[in-house]
Amino acid sequence: SCCPGCHACLYHQKVYAHTHSVPTPDPCNTCTCNHGSVVCDTVRCPEIHCVDAHLLPDHCCPTCTHCHHLGTTYQSGSEWWLEEDPCVKCRCESGSVTCVSQAGYCNPQCP
């Protein structure tokens, strides 16, 4: 507890200003200083759409490291042109594939 009107937090022998983040060893909690008290909230993990989700060290939420598209597996972050339509560029991001027409842009094979 702190004196009336005090906004700083004392946590593990360190002082944190009001609204500042307070570090926690648990990646599933985020903590902040709120008017002299450390308040922690549980991290809400986003919905994932893959079968091979992985929990990375020091992370709370599982992530997708691959995408499956038309029988091929791609690493998250990779991009490719569709063989069926060289004007469509696809990207794998956290288990989801997004494909966008690039007609008239950067692929010289596009009309």
Side-chain angles (χ1 to χ4, degrees), residues 97-110:
V97 174
T98 305
C99 296
V100 178
S101 174
Q102 301 290 315
Y105 292 103
C106 35
N107 189 344
Q109 297 178 24
C110 292

Side-chain angles (χ1 to χ4, degrees), residues 71-92:
T72 304
T73 301
Y74 298 93
Q75 282 288 119
S76 188
S78 63
E79 295 181 334
W80 65 95
W81 295 95
L82 284 184
E83 287 182 27
E84 306 80 34
D85 185 347
C87 297
V88 175
K89 189 175 190 178
C90 297
R91 178 172 176 78
C92 168

